[in-house]
Structures are given as structure tokens and as C-alpha cells.
């Protein structure tokens, strides 16, 4: 028996894309459309919202054509279809038309579950499009984006890009595309820094990371960037507090695998690895000293002092000193 090509798999009669990550949902649609147009350049694509799919609409769109043209029918937010339209979809799923690919995009929750269950029962090809809420998931996404282009990026570069861009997958994908187009050879952290330094250094967490690593000058530079770009001082004190507390939690925890420690301490596994690297040189007295410095900065930022920026600078310097085991007392 001949093996199916990748395009034949994609051109299953019915594809259901499940989840709430818009970029992945759009890519699921684009993949089907590309496969269809590779098979037939004149493929007709109909991309519909629930309010455009009334009872009878699906039957009309999937009825046989005199020209036997290939067609892709996309129904977005299928969980919002009316009950009568869901009946039409179920009827179609029992006998899909030839040369037509139906793509249903479904949020995946309890709402409208009947149409999702019916598609699965009918053997639909399923594409997972989950919302990526965890930093580790976004990091894996960036790594996969680089792999898909055939290019190499160091782990530090991937992490720096996530730190710089944040949670928007479209922006992360766009950043990867830009770096791949502009840079030859392996993409490293220095390259990411050159392209996205303004965004990366404006992060309150970058200030905290540099401080707990004992890199006072870099932490102060990041602090000034953050304040200049409008980051609220209270967010910076919060990030400093989280950074120091993470050091304290991990230093007092018993050894173990990152996954076990993550469950015990309430941190993602990727953060366990990062904090382990940051905690070198820290002592229990240093943690206590740094926490007092953060508390004083927090009071200064929230009205207890005349100069919030100076209060933050003092805290950053104190934390960096504590990281080098010279901040006791």
C-alpha cells in the first residue's frame, strides 16, 4: 500500500483545530489551504464566522459542482454555531463530500462540545492549538520556530528572545523570522540583544535577574532603561522581591530533580535551572539582607521616601552585593 504524502494527510475530509491560540489556529487553516492549492491552484476557499453559517449554508457550500472544483470551507469559532447549524454539521460529517475539506476551529471548552465530539467520532484530523500561558511553552515554541527554518539558535538566545518579546506568539514568530533573514550562522544571545535590547532591558525581571546575579552595573543600566520606558517602580520592586525569594526558597530546599522541586516550590522547571545558576555565592544572611533592602525600596516607592528611583538604585546595589556574599548585616 502506497504511503500518503504529507499533503494528503493534511487534506483529510475534515480537520478540527482545537484551542484558543490565534496564531496556531491561523496556521492550521493556512496549512490546509496551502495543501489544497498545491493539489489544485484554483481551489475555492470560504472562510466563515458563525453568523455567516446559517441552517442550509453548509449544504449549499458543499453541494457537488459541475466543474468538480476543490474547495476548502473554514468555520471559525465553531463552538458558537446555532443548534440548527450544528445539526447540519453533524449530517455533513456522516458523509463528507469529495474534493472538499471542511476545517472547524473550536475553542475546546464545554461550549458547543457537541460539534467537537461529532467531528472526533467521525475520525476528523485534529490539530492542537492550546493557549501558551507558560514561559516554558513559549520557549519550546521559539526553539521549534528556529528548527522549522533549518537554523540554529543557542538556548540562551531563545530564552533572551522570550524575555524580550513576552507572551505574544505572533511577535515571537515575527522576531524569529527577522533574525533568520538578517543574521548568518548560529543566532546567539548577543545577536538577540542587539536587535531587542530596548525591549529586553526595559523588563523589570531583567533588572531583578542582573541584580541577583551580582551584576550591579548591568542591573543599574537595566533599571534606568526600565524607568525611562515607563515601567512602574512598583513592578520593579515586585520583580526584585520575587528574584530574592526564589533564591531563598531554592537554597533552603532539599536537592532533587527540577520537576520535583518545581512542584514543591511552585516554580516552573525552567526557572529552577535558572535560579540554581543565580544562587551561587548567596548565603542565608545575604538573602535576609537583600529582602530587607527590597522592603525598604518598596516603602520608598509607595510613598515612604522622596525619591523612588534612588530607593530602587539602593536596593539593586544591595542585592548585587548580597549575591557576592558581601551584603551581610
Amino acid at each position: 500500500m502506497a504511503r500518503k504524502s504529507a499533503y494528503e494527510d493534511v487534506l483529510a475530509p475534515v480537520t478540527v483545530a482545537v484551542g484558543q491560540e490565534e496564531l496556531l489556529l491561523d496556521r492550521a487553516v493556512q496549512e490546509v489551504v496551502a495543501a489544497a492549492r498545491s493539489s489544485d491552484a484554483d481551489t475555492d476557499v470560504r472562510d466563515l464566522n458563525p453568523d455567516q453559517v446559517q441552517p442550509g449554508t453548509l449544504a449549499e457550500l458543499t453541494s457537488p459542482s459541475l466543474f468538480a472544483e476543490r474547495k476548502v470551507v473554514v468555520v471559525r469559532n465553531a463552538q458558537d454555531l446555532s443548534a440548527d447549524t450544528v445539526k447540519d454539521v453533524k449530517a455533513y460529517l456522516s458523509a463528507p463530500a469529495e474534493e472538499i475539506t471542511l476545517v472547524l476551529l473550536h475553542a475546546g471548552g464545554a461550549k458547543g462540545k457537541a460539534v467537537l465530539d461529532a467531528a472526533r467520532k467521525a475520525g476528523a484530523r485534529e490539530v492542537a492549538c492550546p493557549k501558551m500561558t507558560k514561559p516554558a511553552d513559549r520557549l519550546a515554541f521559539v526553539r521549534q520556530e528556529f528548527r522549522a527554518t533549518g537554523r540554529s539558535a543557542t538556548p540562551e538566545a531563545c530564552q533572551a528572545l522570550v524575555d524580550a518579546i513576552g507572551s505574544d506568539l505572533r511577535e515571537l514568530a515575527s522576531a524569529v523570522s527577522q533574525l533568520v533573514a538578517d543574521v548568518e550562522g548560529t543566532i546567539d544571545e548577543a545577536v538577540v540583544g542587539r536587535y531587542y535590547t530596548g525591549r529586553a532591558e526595559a523588563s523589570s525581571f531583567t533588572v531583578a535577574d542582573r541584580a541577583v546575579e551580582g551584576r550591579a552595573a548591568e542591573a543599574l543600566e537595566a533599571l534606568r532603561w526600565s524607568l525611562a520606558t515607563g515601567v512602574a517602580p512598583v513592578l520593579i520592586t515586585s520583580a526584585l522581591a520575587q528574584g530574592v525569594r526564589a533564591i531563598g526558597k531554592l537554597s533552603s530546599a532539599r536537592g532533587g530533580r527540577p520537576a520535583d522541586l518545581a512542584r514543591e516550590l511552585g516554580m516552573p522547571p525552567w526557572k529552577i535551572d535558572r535560579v540554581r545558576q543565580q544562587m551561587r555565592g548567596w548565603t542565608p544572611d545575604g538573602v535576609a539582607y537583600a529582602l530587607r533592602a527590597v522592603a525598604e525600596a518598596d516603602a520608598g516607592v509607595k510613598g515612604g521616601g522622596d525619591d523612588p528611583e534612588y530607593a530602587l538604585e539602593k536596593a539593586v546595589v544591595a542585592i548585587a552585593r548580597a549575591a557576592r556574599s558581601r551584603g551581610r548585616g
Side-chain angles (χ1 to χ4, degrees):
M1 179 177 172
R3 292 182 62 186
K4 289 184 176 181
S5 70
Y7 273 163
E8 286 176 312
D9 289 335
V10 172
L11 289 177
V14 181
T15 287
V16 57
V18 185
Q20 299 179 43
E21 189 58 69
E22 292 296 330
L23 175 65
L24 300 184
L25 291 168
D26 285 346
R27 284 186 173 180
V29 172
Q30 291 164 8
E31 183 182 32
V32 172
V33 171
R37 287 184 168 156
S38 176
S39 175
D40 180 354
D42 295 324
T43 294
D44 181 22
V45 179
R46 304 295 180 90
D47 196 328
L48 308 169
N49 290 315
D51 58 358
Q52 296 173 294
V53 188
Q54 302 300 321
T57 301
L58 188 60
E60 179 183 344
L61 290 174
T62 58
S63 60
S65 166
L66 290 174
F67 304 102
E69 65 181 356
R70 179 173 288 281
K71 186 180 291 185
V72 175
V73 178
V74 181
V75 178
R76 296 182 182 270
N77 297 310
Q79 71 277 359
D80 295 331
L81 292 172
S82 67
D84 288 338
T85 303
V86 170
K87 291 179 183 178
D88 286 354
V89 173
K90 289 181 176 180
Y92 177 80
L93 291 173
S94 66
E98 291 186 11
E99 300 298 313
I100 292 176
T101 299
L102 175 64
V103 183
L104 300 172
L105 308 188
H106 194 288
K111 184 180 181 182
K113 193 169 182 291
V115 69
L116 181 56
D117 289 343
R120 286 170 169 164
K121 186 176 180 181
R125 168 180 172 265
E126 185 165 339
V127 180
C129 304
K131 196 75 174 174
M132 294 191 183
T133 58
K134 297 179 180 178
D137 292 338
R138 295 192 287 274
L139 182 58
F141 171 79
V142 167
R143 288 172 176 163
Q144 180 55 40
E145 289 291 290
F146 280 116
R147 280 196 294 266
T149 67
R151 295 291 301 279
S152 297
T154 66
E156 294 80 9
C158 294
Q159 185 64 64
L161 197 58
V162 172
D163 290 343
I165 301 298
S167 61
D168 191 311
L169 287 201
R170 290 186 191 278
E171 290 195 29
L172 285 169
S174 177
V176 169
S177 296
Q178 181 182 20
L179 290 169
V180 166
D182 292 356
V183 180
E184 295 182 359
T186 299
I187 295 163
D188 59 20
E189 187 175 11
V191 169
V192 174
R194 286 200 302 272
Y195 274 74
Y196 299 101
T197 185
R199 297 179 68 162
E201 299 301 326
S203 164
S204 56
F205 289 102
T206 301
V207 179
D209 285 341
R210 298 297 85 82
V212 299
E213 290 162 5
R215 296 153 66 177
E218 294 175 42
L220 289 171
E221 184 181 356
L223 172 63
R224 288 163 192 145
W225 258 109
S226 296
L227 295 171
T229 54
V231 176
V234 68
L235 295 180
I236 299 173
T237 54
S238 176
L240 291 171
Q242 288 182 49
V244 175
R245 287 187 190 120
I247 297 286
K249 283 183 179 180
L250 192 55
S251 62
S252 62
R254 291 171 294 182
R257 297 178 305 168
D260 297 331
L261 286 170
R263 285 191 293 272
E264 179 185 344
L265 302 178
M267 298 181 193
W270 66 267
K271 189 169 184 179
I272 296 292
D273 291 333
R274 172 180 283 188
V275 176
R276 272 180 169 163
Q277 294 175 354
Q278 293 174 332
M279 64 188 286
R280 295 169 186 158
W282 279 89
T283 66
D285 285 345
V287 171
Y289 175 84
L291 285 174
R292 288 197 298 273
V294 172
E296 290 173 6
D298 189 56
V301 162
K302 293 177 179 177
D306 296 329
D307 191 341
E309 292 186 19
Y310 176 64
L312 287 170
E313 288 180 0
K314 279 184 61 179
V316 164
V317 171
I319 293 167
R321 289 179 60 206
R324 297 192 300 270
S325 299
R326 292 201 297 269
R328 295 189 293 274

